Amino acid sequence: MTVRSLLGLAALNLFALAVGAGLLWGLRGWRSWWELARLAGLAYMLGIAGLGVALTLVLVAGIQFSLATILLTGMALAGAGAAVAHRLGRPRPVLGTGPRRVGLAGAALAVLVVVYLEALFRAARLSGLYAFDAWSFWVPKAKAIYFFGGLDEQFFSELPNATYPPLVPTLEASAFHFMGSPDVVTLHVQFWFFLAGFVAAVAGLLATRVPPVLLWTFALLALVSPRVVGRTLEPQADFTLDYLFALAALLVVLWLLERRPWQLAGATLFLGAVMLTKREGQLLAACVVAAALVASWRDWRTAWPRLGLASACALALALPWRAWYVSHDLTGEFPSSGGTGLLENLDRAWPSFQSVLTSAFSTDLWTVVLPLVIVAVVLAFIGGARVLPVYAMLVYAFALAGFTWGIWSFVELEVPIEQDEAINPVVRLSASLIVLSAALVPLLLDAAWRGADPPRRPEAG
Amino acid sequence: MPRVSAWLVVAVAALGYPLLVLVFSGPPAFPTRADCVLAPTGEGEYRVVFGYRDSELEALELRDRALAVGFQGTEISRDGCGRVRVAVDDIPSREVGEEVIREARTVDLDPTLEQEG
């Protein structure tokens, strides 16, 4: 039973990698096969984001969801990428000169990350479905898509959080198809693939930009956070959202620094996927875009139209789902007191902010990640960098403000506000900032060491 | 440090960890659907299982067959391994269970005796 499921999941994720490689070929191409190996994690996450978005649109369009649908959709995405690459005349890649040099310290840290992931795999493949939200609605939605072949309005409306976007249930249903059954135990391995893919994507993007010691230190620091160790394998959308958000934010800042079109295009796909993963994805996407607009104000004439176009495209990917649930009378997307209701609950403002800060800086959850983020931002400023630390600071600040608004408007959570995760979503919200740190902090510290923003360089990947 | 050496360190660790796990913990377990079938142990109550099906529709057909020939109390339930079980629960003893099985075989049903979980 589980052997077949594991092989099926391996096949799905190899398929996602192939789809993502097609998208990456269209977005930027690669000069050598070693370069593709370095960017394999990014290709995989592009494939996951692309498949998630496309299959969500397929469901909204009412097309029968089946194994054939998944395969055809993936092939269409990869084919589109290949067509774009052909049109742009991308040169054939050469073999290349082999992997980059990694020092002993970097190798030792990379070893720890690899062994950590291997150990997590052992936990994933025999995990039971214990997480409340997972068995309450995430996995039931996935089973409904798997068994009914589409979005069943009645079933979705009866489950909690009916308006939550279906990207993760769609991917879970895809996993069920490849596994040949709704194996909710082996399903946890799919979330191990998401984590491993995220780590590989960040490593691949930063390998040519920061020293290996910085890269692997902060990857490891984020990975060993108690919350990550304990919850990252749960078949829910929380950490998936965080990975997609962090990759979008990373690609946007790389674009701000290097202005390679493919970086903004890749970020657009991830932003669309973020908004189709959870409701708070819209907030996180807005934080990334707003921070980028402010950080690029010096050359707003060239940057702002491009950021606007990227935002519009990402929004266009997310709108069909919104149209579907509005047309099917599903409600509850926004908190009832999120607008003018805030003024009626001014006494909640400070406690909400305190709740957010308490969670974000909790050493029980995240060790010392966020304090180190603050140190990294300050050092980057002192070192002379500007665009990078301004962007990073604003992403975190806007996100903390957004989370405060979310808790403030969640009037069912009474003052004094408890940190109990069962009733307060702030812990799940703050995870996104920790995951983001694994991507941004190495860049910040490298900028502090260099004494400037990372230079615009010839295509370094 | 030569370029290849550092990567070799990573590769050795990546292979070494699972090898150590195999050495000290033995081969990994791969649960099968058979693990959800509990053999009679003599403690507690039993169930007479008429069969397992992959879908509730198929299980209902078998249940209806069993009910039609007089096995009152036959119900369907999920077995926890992705299958649907068709069974009579709460059999008080092994002897009663075996008697039920003998009767079922006279009407072309082939149930088995299992322990209730």
Side-chain angles (χ1 to χ4, degrees), chain A residues 9 13 439 443:
Chain A
L9 269 189
N13 287 279
L443 276 176

Side-chain angles (χ1 to χ4, degrees), chain A residues 74-138:
Chain A
M75 286 162 60
L77 287 172
V84 168
H86 178 75
R87 186 64 190 256
L88 295 175
R90 298 224 185 276
R92 273 192 170 187
V94 298
L95 179 59
T97 55
R100 298 179 62 81
R101 184 181 299 275
V102 177
L104 180 61
L109 291 166
V111 159
L112 292 176
V113 172
V114 167
V115 171
Y116 170 97
L117 289 172
E118 289 181 334
L120 211 60
F121 175 84
R122 294 177 63 212
R125 72 176 192 91
L126 290 176
S127 285
L129 191 63
Y130 302 123
F132 181 86
D133 286 1
W135 60 256
S136 172
F137 59 91
W138 288 114

Side-chain angles (χ1 to χ4, degrees), chain A residues 143-209:
Chain A
K143 285 185 174 179
I145 295 170
Y146 172 71
F147 283 118
F148 302 147
L151 298 172
D152 184 270
E153 176 193 343
Q154 180 185 358
F155 189 76
F156 271 62
S157 65
E158 290 175 359
L159 287 172
N161 299 312
T163 58
Y164 268 18
L167 185 138
V168 167
T170 302
L171 292 174
E172 290 177 341
S174 302
F176 291 153
H177 275 293
F178 272 76
M179 289 192 287
S181 68
D183 184 345
V184 299
V185 170
T186 313
L187 181 65
H188 292 73
V189 176
Q190 181 58 59
F191 291 79
W192 177 87
F193 275 110
F194 291 159
L195 172 63
F198 168 72
V199 171
V202 171
L205 284 170
L206 296 185
T208 55
R209 295 175 169 88

Side-chain angles (χ1 to χ4, degrees), chain A residues 313-334:
Chain A
C313 292
L315 203 58
L317 293 175
L319 278 178
W321 163 248
R322 182 175 175 77
W324 186 89
Y325 74 73
V326 168
S327 67
H328 288 81
D329 299 322
L330 298 180
T331 57
E333 184 185 18
F334 294 109

Side-chain angles (χ1 to χ4, degrees), chain A residues 205-252:
Chain A
L205 284 170
L206 296 185
T208 55
R209 295 175 169 88
V210 304
V213 170
L214 282 182
L215 167 62
W216 293 113
T217 299
F218 278 88
L220 201 55
L221 187 63
L223 286 174
V224 300
S225 300
R227 177 76 178 180
V228 174
V229 173
R231 309 295 286 268
T232 192
L233 298 176
E234 292 173 350
Q236 303 177 153
D238 301 311
F239 277 101
T240 309
L241 171 73
D242 300 337
Y243 305 147
L244 297 171
F245 159 67
L247 288 173
L250 177 59
L251 284 172
V252 165

Side-chain angles (χ1 to χ4, degrees), chain A residues 222-440:
Chain A
L223 286 174
V224 300
S225 300
R227 177 76 178 180
V228 174
V229 173
R231 309 295 286 268
T232 192
L233 298 176
E234 292 173 350
Q236 303 177 153
D238 301 311
F239 277 101
T240 309
L241 171 73
D242 300 337
Y243 305 147
L244 297 171
F245 159 67
L247 288 173
L250 177 59
L251 284 172
V252 165
V253 77
L254 291 178
W255 177 79
L256 288 174
L257 297 170
E258 299 173 8
R259 300 304 168 96
R260 303 294 175 186
W262 75 266
Q263 293 160 338
L264 193 57
T268 302
L269 177 59
F270 284 124
L271 287 173
V274 161
M275 288 192 279
L276 284 174
T277 302
K278 285 192 81 176
R279 291 180 304 187
E280 47 263 46
Q282 298 166 76
L283 170 66
L284 293 173
C287 292
V288 169
V289 172
L293 288 171
V294 174
S296 61
W297 72 274
R298 284 184 184 276
D299 48 358
W300 64 274
R301 287 182 196 276
T302 54
W304 286 13
R306 288 167 172 79
L307 287 168
L309 180 60
S311 304
C313 292
L315 203 58
L317 293 175
L319 278 178
W321 163 248
R322 182 175 175 77
W324 186 89
Y325 74 73
V326 168
S327 67
H328 288 81
D329 299 322
L330 298 180
T331 57
E333 184 185 18
F334 294 109
S336 56
S337 301
T340 55
L342 292 177
L343 299 176
E344 298 164 8
N345 297 286
L346 282 173
D347 59 315
R348 296 180 54 81
W350 179 243
S352 300
F353 185 58
Q354 280 184 306
S355 175
V356 169
L357 289 185
T358 301
S359 174
F361 286 90
S362 167
T363 53
D364 291 338
L365 295 170
W366 315 116
T367 63
V368 293
V369 174
L370 270 198
L372 289 177
V373 169
I374 295 173
V375 169
V377 170
V378 169
L379 287 176
F381 272 121
I382 293 173
R386 288 295 175 264
V387 173
L388 177 58
V390 166
Y391 171 81
M393 179 183 68
L394 288 175
V395 171
Y396 284 99
F398 290 154
L400 289 171
F403 298 160
T404 301
W405 168 79
I407 304 301
W408 183 354
S409 55
F410 184 26
V411 293
E412 291 80 4
L413 190 61
E414 294 177 354
V415 175
I417 296 175
E418 291 188 40
Q419 294 297 106
D420 183 0
E421 186 187 343
I423 54 174
N424 188 345
V426 71
V427 172
R428 291 194 294 277
L429 294 173
S430 57
S432 57
L433 300 182
I434 306 307
V435 173
L436 176 63
S437 305
L440 287 191

Side-chain angles (χ1 to χ4, degrees), chain A residues 39-76:
Chain A
L39 294 173
L42 177 64
Y44 169 75
M45 293 304 290
L46 282 171
I48 288 296
L51 276 173
V53 169
L55 289 173
T56 297
L57 297 177
V58 160
L59 283 173
V60 167
I63 298 171
Q64 180 72 11
F65 191 86
S66 65
L67 184 59
T69 310
I70 300 165
L71 293 173
L72 289 172
T73 303
M75 286 162 60

